Amino acid sequence: ARQRAEIMLVEQVGRRVVLQAQTPYRGAHSRHWEVSGGTLSDDSAPSVTWTLPGTPGIYSAELALDYGDDGLAFDALMLEVLPDASE
């Protein structure tokens, strides 16, 4: 890719995290988010809310940016869900 993609963790409250797509690329581009567990508020928005599953484990969020003729860029972020303190 000519330009990079970067996932920024903007906020975390419990199992809900806000992620934002960052790139220095200034041209038109599309984005696609995918997660290995939990739910996303919108899989094509620049900023998404990811609700992580309640099951302990390591989960990933992946971001793909498509710059058309200028190429593609990818990034991934791993987060761990820990057991509740009451367990």
Side-chain angles (χ1 to χ4, degrees):
R2 295 180 184 179
Q3 300 289 338
R4 71 182 184 279
E6 186 175 4
I7 298 173
M8 302 294 294
L9 194 149
V10 177
E11 178 181 48
Q12 180 173 1
V13 178
R15 292 185 301 109
R16 295 177 64 131
V17 295
V18 176
L19 305 176
Q20 186 171 9
Q22 296 279 325
T23 181
Y25 185 77
R26 296 293 171 219
H29 61 281
S30 63
R31 66 200 63 76
H32 178 73
W33 295 89
E34 191 168 316
V35 294
S36 63
T39 58
L40 280 177
S41 59
D42 182 348
D43 69 354
S44 64
S47 181
V48 297
T49 300
W50 179 18
T51 304
L52 290 154
T55 306
I58 297 175
Y59 299 93
S60 65
E62 297 176 351
L63 170 67
L65 297 180
D66 185 347
Y67 305 128
D69 290 341
D70 286 336
L72 299 168
F74 302 93
D75 194 18
L77 174 74
M78 308 287 274
L79 293 177
E80 183 175 12
V81 174
L82 299 173
D84 287 337
S86 61
E87 293 181 8

